[in-house]
Amino acid sequence: MTAPLPKDIITVDQLRALRAAGWIVVREDAIRLAQAHARDEERERRRVAHA
């Protein structure tokens, strides 16, 4: 993964404004972790179903 560009980084004030507007703001690595966890759970579900 490459480092984020300055245009990709939001300021604290921008973050507060997004949250105040009802947006849920998460870091990209948190999204990737959640996706990996979901894949692992799906694999486990299939393994148990075929056992």
Side-chain angles (χ1 to χ4, degrees), residues 27-46:
R27 291 171 42 138
E28 183 178 358
D29 57 345
I31 293 170
R32 290 175 192 259
L33 181 62
Q35 290 170 333
H37 183 69
R39 285 190 299 271
D40 290 345
E41 286 184 333
E42 180 62 21
R43 279 189 211 109
E44 179 65 16
R45 185 190 65 77
R46 281 192 222 140

Side-chain angles (χ1 to χ4, degrees), residues 13-25:
D13 290 336
Q14 290 170 320
L15 177 61
R16 285 186 186 127
L18 287 170
R19 286 184 173 159
W23 284 71
I24 298 172
V25 181

